[in-house]
Amino acid sequence: MAADQEEELRYLSGLGNSFSSEAVPGSLPVGQNSPLVCPLGLYAEQLSGTSFTTPRASNLRTWLYRIKPSVTHEPFHPLQDKGARLVGEFDRATTVATPTQLRWRPAEVPLHPPLDFIDGLYTVCGAGSSFLRHGYAIHMYAANKSMDGCAFCNADGDFLIVPQQGRLFITTECGKMLVSPGEIVVIPQGFRFAVDLPDGPSRGYVSEIFGSHFQLPDLGPIGANGLASPRDFLSPTAWFEQAHRPGYAIVQKYGGELFAATQDFSPFNVVAWHGNYVPYKYDLSRFCPFNTVLFDHGDPSVNTVLTAPTDKPGVALLDFVIFPPRWLVAENTFRPPYYHRNCMSEFMGLIYGIYEAKADGFLPGGASLHSCMTPHGPDTKTYEATISRGDVANEPSRLSGTLAFMFESSLIPRVCRWALDSPCRDLDYYQCWIGLKSHFSSHDNGEPAAGADQKD
């Protein structure tokens, strides 16, 4: 990607807004969506992210005005040599159930063979079904080349992409975005996009949700401000490509399988668009964390950036939660995350630094999975170092140089066999807790414990 391309990028600010953007002045119709003849001879095409009859407050759709409509392609055919490690149906035939705590070391991005974003995408775990429109999948990717002569389209759900190494230059039907490690990008269901790698090899994480869309969490007693601000989410501005592109491939993920169709033009031929169903990115350094200011450790839900809710209030299909740099000031409090068993399941990744609950073994680019009701918490070294600090533990300290995240879901994940068999899997993960020893004493400072039997 040339430097002048980066300088030309412009964004529209706000999450949930209804935007209008045109690359050529006068290319948007005025006063209606689908006139008999669109300005500049363009085709009108609507992309719907919700059903037509979804209530207005949550209805998502965008009108695209393009040089040729997206329907102009050859029939789709299955790609037998791609997508073998993608899953869209999580059952006993495709995945394995295990309550064991799991951890993976970071996978090296191979230099050979050439792998673009599609080739390098593989499923780790998930739940539910893309066909039944309920569930999620968690993927990782490791790519070493830009996509060339093809675009990707996910018909199954929304992608939330978390790059950990190397920037992603993403071209979508709404325009272009540059996404760096420390930022995230959401590509809603149905959008066609292509990923270039301006820094060379890249790796990262992807969550995918079926039948729902991400939104900002309710703030409750926090009030009107804090956490992620809508104005910090950025969507692209209209950009189009008119060149003749014989043999251009549209690769579509459908039911977890990949299909391809060819056409003779770029899918990025949208001259203008308007609507509220758009790709967007977010800089995680803009997140305004809230924390305890007196005692005890707040629940991690206070660090939710985006959520995909279910019909049950307060229960998420998938939350995206981060653990960013912040001040720790709680008094007489064990400040790292507490030991925990959760009705939710937690998949964690580390973008950079050291995670506060794991002194060793959890590395940038790695991952861990703690499923429903599986106990987890700080490793032995973290626990012992924390409780040994004495009165020093009451002093304010700044957690810096770290950025971890969590995909948390109410659905119990099933794990792909290749993830369990991966050479990157840390088979000794359980050992990080084995060293935890009993500090129990029935006497505290020489006095009988409360409730202890005493003789006169």
Side-chain angles (χ1 to χ4, degrees):
M1 183 190 68
D4 57 343
Q5 287 181 293
E6 182 175 348
E7 292 172 1
E8 290 175 1
L9 292 178
R10 294 183 299 112
Y11 298 100
L12 300 166
S13 170
L15 184 63
N17 290 359
S18 186
F19 296 114
S20 296
S21 184
E22 51 184 13
V24 177
S27 51
L28 272 175
V30 176
Q32 65 180 118
N33 295 320
S34 185
L36 178 63
V37 178
C38 292
L40 310 184
L42 299 172
Y43 287 86
E45 179 178 296
Q46 183 177 220
L47 180 55
S48 297
T50 54
S51 66
F52 296 140
T53 53
T54 293
R56 180 185 286 266
S58 50
N59 201 298
L60 298 172
R61 62 91 180 92
T62 286
W63 281 90
L64 309 170
Y65 299 92
R66 51 198 325 148
I67 296 169
K68 291 181 70 174
S70 58
V71 71
T72 314
H73 61 75
E74 300 292 327
F76 281 101
H77 61 273
L79 287 178
Q80 305 294 347
D81 58 338
K82 287 180 180 283
R85 294 199 297 168
L86 292 175
V87 177
E89 297 286 301
F90 293 90
D91 54 33
R92 293 189 177 188
T94 59
T95 47
V96 176
T98 176
T100 298
Q101 301 98 334
L102 301 174
R103 185 164 71 182
W104 294 271
R105 294 179 292 272
E108 294 297 326
V109 183
L111 298 179
H112 301 286
L115 299 171
D116 63 19
F117 179 81
I118 303 172
D119 300 321
L121 189 66
Y122 58 95
T123 309
V124 177
C125 62
S129 166
S130 59
F131 285 105
L132 297 179
R133 313 303 306 128
H134 182 62
Y136 70 94
I138 293 174
H139 316 282
M140 298 183 75
Y141 73 89
N144 57 31
K145 70 180 288 287
S146 298
M147 292 171 61
D148 183 25
C150 68
F152 194 23
C153 176
N154 184 7
D156 293 336
D158 288 12
F159 273 160
L160 190 160
I161 304 172
V162 186
Q164 186 274 322
Q165 173 185 310
R167 294 176 299 168
L168 305 179
F169 188 67
I170 302 178
T171 304
T172 76
E173 292 172 276
C174 286
K176 298 184 174 186
M177 296 180 289
L178 181 64
V179 186
S180 302
E183 297 181 315
I184 61 169
V185 61
V186 173
I187 308 293
Q189 176 190 10
F191 272 95
R192 295 174 177 183
F193 67 99
V195 178
D196 290 328
L197 308 180
D199 302 327
S202 177
R203 70 183 178 199
Y205 314 83
V206 180
S207 65
E208 179 183 10
I209 50 175
F210 311 137
S212 185
H213 297 291
F214 288 106
Q215 63 186 53
L216 291 173
D218 292 330
L219 294 181
I222 290 176
N225 305 292
L227 308 189
S229 171
R231 71 171 182 165
D232 292 325
F233 290 81
L234 303 178
S235 292
T237 53
W239 176 90
F240 70 96
E241 183 178 38
Q242 193 177 2
H244 184 59
R245 300 289 298 273
Y248 197 100
I250 304 297
V251 178
Q252 185 140 318
K253 190 169 84 69
Y254 180 83
E257 300 179 45
L258 296 183
F259 300 81
T262 58
Q263 58 189 47
D264 62 1
F265 62 97
S266 168
F268 310 119
N269 65 348
V270 177
V271 181
W273 59 266
H274 78 86
N276 62 352
Y277 189 54
V278 292
Y280 54 88
K281 73 169 192 168
Y282 176 72
D283 183 345
L284 299 176
S285 68
R286 299 291 184 93
F287 187 80
C288 178
F290 277 60
N291 211 339
T292 302
V293 294
L294 189 57
F295 63 86
D296 282 353
H297 190 293
D299 294 329
S301 51
V302 77
N303 288 324
T304 302
V305 180
L306 291 168
T307 184
T310 63
D311 293 336
K312 188 175 182 180
V315 178
L317 172 65
L318 194 81
D319 283 334
F320 174 65
V321 180
I322 65 170
F323 303 96
R326 60 199 184 278
W327 280 95
L328 305 176
V329 300
E331 300 173 357
N332 190 32
T333 293
F334 185 80
R335 291 177 179 172
Y338 44 76
Y339 293 100
H340 190 43
R341 288 179 294 164
N342 195 351
C343 62
M344 307 285 276
S345 296
E346 305 173 1
F347 179 95
M348 287 198 63
L350 185 60
I351 300 172
Y352 60 80
I354 298 174
Y355 178 52
E356 60 187 304
K358 297 291 188 298
D360 296 312
F362 188 44
L363 303 174
S368 67
L369 177 63
H370 304 133
S371 292
C372 173
M373 292 304 172
T374 293
H376 54 281
D379 60 18
T380 303
K381 184 180 292 188
T382 299
Y383 181 84
E384 294 293 340
T386 301
I387 65 171
S388 68
R389 295 182 65 201
D391 290 340
V392 177
N394 283 328
E395 297 178 359
S397 61
R398 192 176 193 278
L399 190 65
S400 59
T402 179
L403 183 56
F405 73 89
M406 178 168 67
F407 298 138
E408 184 177 61
S409 176
S410 61
L411 304 186
I412 298 176
R414 298 181 64 88
V415 185
C416 295
R417 290 182 177 85
W418 48 80
L420 291 177
D421 296 337
S422 169
C424 294
R425 182 181 164 192
D426 182 357
L427 297 176
D428 294 326
Y429 182 30
Y430 73 97
Q431 293 280 2
C432 78
W433 295 292
I434 295 298
L436 289 167
K437 60 186 179 181
S438 172
H439 293 271
F440 174 75
S441 173
S442 61
H443 298 280
D444 188 7
N445 297 324
E447 298 296 328
D453 292 335
Q454 301 180 39
K455 292 183 178 180
D456 293 334

